[in-house]
Amino acid sequence: MRIPVESYRLPNGLHVVLSKDHTAPIVAVNLWYHVGSANERLERTGFAHLFEHMLFQGSEQVAANEHFELVQRAGGTLNGSTWLDRTNYYETLPSNQLALALWLEADRMGRFLPGLTQQKLDTQRDVVKNERRWSVDNQPYGTWWEKLPALCFPEQHPFHHSLIGSMEHLSDASLEDVADFFRTYYTPDNAVLTIAGDLDRAEAIRLVDAYFGPIPQGAPRPPLRDMTVSATFGTTLREVVTDAVALPRLFVACRTPVFGSDGYYAASLASAILGLRTGSRLEQSLVRTQRVASQASAFTYDLAKGSDLLIVDATAHGDVSAEQLEAAVLAELDRIHEHGVTETEVARARALIETSFVTGLQSAAERADQLSRFATYFGDPSLANDQVARYQAVTAADVSRLTRERLGPDNRAVLLYLPAPVDDVDADLAVADAAVIA
């Protein structure tokens, strides 16, 4: 399957991608900014995620939350997301509403600052803090999102600190800090705009030119701090966290080749063999045969700079100790490290990945997202059409080489969660209750 792709740049640097598909009368607009938590200053972590929220708080001609109201009234859906190295905003609407989506995105790209107020910043700062409390601080195992990257990357590395940011840094954020972050990164020459679905090419180009063309190019952006790390950790790193959780849970991370490299596709297949769906090794061995885990999976972070990570995630059964769980998980990693994989396993993993990828491209929203992804990371959206062939080119020998070089004991970061004693949890809850009452 090959999808039609056309791309060009406006004079202000905006990379525009068009992909026509008249199967259904809908159109997806997807805008990627090449900025994520990796771009944050170390004393201002959490800004990229804060901006995901701020950009729904209106602009010069759009009131707070009106972006949601206008798109939903038109029968569309929308949202945004933030990752370590990018932030995206997206809408899917009836195709006769394309102008609305483009105008809304252009208004906040070009005229966000006139609508910025201290009240909006204070409100969204509290929302983000609550999101941190809900998803990290008070969520069982929620801190793994920040503890595992911190274990895998050196302190000064752009991927070391958490995406959600620190409460202290969010509290210290000033209106000028926010404005400066916007001026630096939310510019047309740091963005990819993809339109996919039932579009009229000439009309789409006219609308993009009319709405985005007048937005000025940004100033040069500061370079990322050094992303370079060694291919492996050189040893087994280990951190044990005692927390208010019911069962032991183990995460094991291995450094693997970056997204888009030849080695990435071997690592992606290795993760699928280990932990994608019920036929995977971890599911069959740990969950069904040994019954030491209630769930077990593996996946890659898909990082395009520095180093990617392959993650194994397993939660113990109620009557299984942390030592038993860890021994079983590491035994599976040792097995794939020492003995590699079979062609049958690679064929299964490849089929699962290809099915998911190709099925996803049937959706205008997912197609637009993939095109923006390859345009942002590699400058070429048409690379989305090469992904199936890249996976098909990988052999069992390639995957076995990857597991031999990257999944051994010299390249593992182990993060183990243990249930805290009940008395300690009760004491922590009492302190928390006292703080709320005060």
Side-chain angles (χ1 to χ4, degrees):
M1 174 186 179
R2 297 189 71 80
I3 57 177
V5 182
E6 175 185 358
S7 69
Y8 63 98
R9 287 187 184 272
L10 295 186
N12 60 15
L14 179 66
H15 193 169
V16 182
V17 182
L18 305 177
S19 180
K20 288 192 294 184
D21 178 4
H22 299 299
T23 304
I26 59 172
V27 66
V29 171
N30 186 297
L31 187 59
W32 274 45
Y33 290 95
H34 205 170
V35 58
S37 59
N39 299 91
E40 295 165 346
R41 292 154 46 196
L42 292 177
E43 71 278 14
R44 287 291 182 272
T45 64
F47 260 49
H49 181 230
L50 176 64
F51 254 85
E52 179 197 324
H53 288 253
M54 289 298 298
L55 258 65
F56 286 106
Q57 292 308 297
S59 45
E60 185 175 34
Q61 302 176 78
V62 179
N65 296 316
E66 192 178 11
H67 196 125
F68 275 99
E69 294 174 14
L70 290 172
V71 171
Q72 289 172 345
R73 278 184 203 161
T77 60
L78 72 162
N79 214 330
S81 70
T82 312
W83 186 229
L84 306 186
D85 54 5
R86 59 84 184 152
T87 305
N88 69 346
Y89 302 89
Y90 46 92
E91 298 88 4
T92 301
L93 308 94
S95 50
N96 64 348
Q97 296 292 335
L98 174 61
L100 172 63
L102 292 175
W103 179 80
L104 286 168
E105 291 294 358
D107 195 63
R108 60 183 174 185
M109 177 190 283
R111 292 170 290 276
F112 167 74
L113 291 180
L116 178 63
T117 66
Q118 186 66 49
Q119 182 183 13
K120 290 178 181 177
L121 173 59
D122 292 342
T123 299
Q124 291 311 304
R125 179 163 40 202
D126 287 343
V127 169
V128 171
K129 285 182 175 180
N130 279 332
E131 186 173 336
R132 181 188 167 88
R133 294 184 186 99
W134 174 80
S135 64
V136 177
D137 298 333
N138 297 319
Q139 182 75 16
Y141 316 104
T143 56
W144 85 268
W145 282 102
E146 56 186 4
K147 289 186 177 298
L148 198 60
L151 190 60
C152 294
F153 294 102
E155 188 169 350
Q156 296 298 316
H157 194 281
F159 292 155
H160 175 84
H161 70 271
S162 75
L163 173 69
I164 197 76
S166 81
M167 289 287 199
E168 180 184 359
H169 296 171
L170 291 169
S171 296
D172 290 343
S174 69
L175 209 58
E176 185 50 36
D177 287 334
V178 172
D180 184 59
F181 196 83
F182 179 82
R183 291 190 202 97
T184 303
Y185 295 108
Y186 283 77
T187 60
D189 50 318
N190 196 39
V192 172
L193 171 68
T194 298
I195 307 170
D198 182 31
L199 62 94
D200 178 279
R201 177 181 179 275
E203 178 66 2
I205 291 174
R206 186 190 71 78
L207 291 171
V208 170
D209 186 56
Y211 295 153
F212 290 89
I215 302 172
Q217 184 172 332
R221 290 170 293 282
L224 280 169
R225 298 187 303 281
D226 187 11
M227 306 288 287
T228 307
V229 291
S230 59
T232 66
F233 298 121
T235 186
T236 295
L237 306 175
R238 182 177 175 81
E239 181 176 352
V240 178
V241 179
T242 302
D243 207 350
V245 296
L247 298 167
R249 185 173 176 183
L250 180 73
F251 296 91
V252 182
C254 304
R255 282 185 185 159
T256 49
V258 293
F259 175 71
S261 66
D262 289 341
Y264 164 79
Y265 296 92
S268 177
L269 287 165
S271 73
I273 290 167
L274 277 170
L276 181 60
R277 308 264 178 94
T278 55
S280 67
R281 287 191 180 191
L282 295 176
E283 173 79 17
Q284 289 295 315
S285 175
L286 273 59
V287 177
R288 301 197 175 200
T289 303
Q290 300 184 61
R291 299 184 181 180
V292 296
S294 57
Q295 71 81 27
S297 62
F299 54 91
T300 53
Y301 254 41
D302 295 353
L303 300 172
K305 304 181 185 76
S307 173
D308 196 13
L309 296 175
L310 186 155
I311 311 289
V312 170
D313 171 13
T315 305
H317 263 305
D319 57 349
V320 171
S321 70
E323 291 77 13
Q324 289 174 293
L325 176 69
E326 183 172 356
V329 170
L330 296 184
E332 286 301 321
L333 281 173
D334 288 342
R335 186 163 75 93
I336 199 171
H337 167 63
E338 294 168 4
H339 304 292
V341 301
T342 67
E343 288 288 359
T344 301
E345 288 178 308
V346 171
R348 170 195 167 273
R350 185 189 294 125
L352 288 174
I353 292 171
E354 289 178 5
T355 299
S356 176
F357 183 77
V358 173
T359 302
L361 292 183
Q362 310 302 311
S363 152
E366 178 63 18
R367 177 180 299 197
D369 199 51
Q370 290 292 345
L371 293 172
S372 288
R373 181 189 203 193
F374 286 98
T376 299
Y377 289 151
F378 309 111
D380 184 359
S382 69
L383 292 176
N385 280 324
D386 298 338
Q387 296 312 293
V388 171
R390 297 291 298 271
Y391 277 106
Q392 288 177 342
V394 180
T395 65
D398 295 329
V399 179
S400 296
R401 187 181 311 112
L402 181 285
T403 63
R404 185 168 59 251
E405 294 175 353
R406 299 300 188 101
L407 301 194
D410 66 336
N411 190 32
R412 295 173 186 168
V414 175
L415 177 63
L416 178 62
Y417 280 84
L418 300 177
V422 174
D423 290 346
D424 291 350
V425 175
D426 289 344
D428 289 342
L429 290 174
V431 170
D433 288 344
V436 171
I437 292 169

